[in-house]
Amino acid sequence: MWKPLIKLLKLISSNTDPGAIAAGFSAGILLGFMPKNNLLWYILSIFIIFLYIQRTTFLLAMALGSILSVFLDPTFNQLGIFILSNEKLIPFFSAALDIPFVSLTKFNNSVVMGSLICGIVFYIPLFFLVKFIVILWRKYVAQFFQNSKLYKLIKKVPLVSKIKVIIESDID
């Protein structure tokens, strides 16, 4: 359980492109918000796998998005009902349902539609926010922690150094 989190913290401080980390996080939240029992989720996940993203961040963000979606489902449902009941869009949705296999995407489910729209709307702001946080982390916070007396003191503890060696050998 700790390995992905430790790997993420190492990743944030490493030379990995902040844009790849941010894209992985945003895509993970998008897929985490959506219900997993439809063709649309599988199509999006296959598409996202081929993007230039950081996969560990993607998986952790997808888990976070899945946890958050439990609490946000009523909001997704209301948004989905609003979109699906829009008089101007009803002919489009009706025509789309007549296309073979489109009904397997379950886009006509209010929770699927609401979560998809929320994920798309939050994608760009989350991307820039996470990229900004990663850049700030690398520039200020990582240096601060490495130069702090507490970090140096903890590093001297024999048990911590042994755990660090074990974790680094397992991650690589």
Side-chain angles (χ1 to χ4, degrees), residues 9-141:
L9 289 175
K10 278 182 76 173
L11 172 79
I12 290 173
S13 300
S14 71
N15 288 334
T16 304
D17 180 27
I21 296 170
F25 186 84
S26 299
I29 291 293
L30 170 71
L31 282 182
F33 277 174
M34 292 181 59
K36 306 339 179 234
N37 62 346
N38 59 70
L39 185 62
L40 184 59
W41 188 87
Y42 291 106
I43 291 170
L44 286 174
S45 62
I46 289 170
F47 174 73
I48 289 171
I49 287 172
F50 289 110
L51 293 177
Y52 177 63
I53 62 171
Q54 210 301 313
R55 305 246 187 301
T56 303
T57 310
F58 169 72
L59 293 173
L60 288 173
M62 192 165 60
L64 175 66
S66 295
I67 292 168
L68 290 175
S69 72
V70 171
F71 304 105
L72 295 173
D73 272 351
T75 306
F76 296 154
N77 186 39
Q78 291 298 320
L79 179 62
I81 289 171
F82 176 75
I83 292 168
L84 292 171
S85 63
N86 187 331
E87 293 294 326
K88 295 180 181 179
L89 295 174
I90 288 175
F92 170 74
F93 293 140
S94 297
L97 281 174
D98 291 336
I99 300 171
F101 300 108
V102 171
S103 63
L104 296 176
T105 64
K106 296 187 182 177
F107 76 89
N108 58 335
N109 181 319
S110 60
V111 176
V112 172
M113 180 60 74
S115 61
L116 175 66
I117 297 300
C118 280
I120 290 170
V121 166
F122 287 131
Y123 188 92
I124 302 271
L126 274 176
F127 176 84
F128 287 113
L129 178 68
V130 170
K131 187 173 179 179
F132 180 70
I133 289 171
V134 169
I135 291 170
L136 285 180
W137 175 273
R138 289 180 181 177
K139 192 170 187 177
Y140 299 109
V141 180

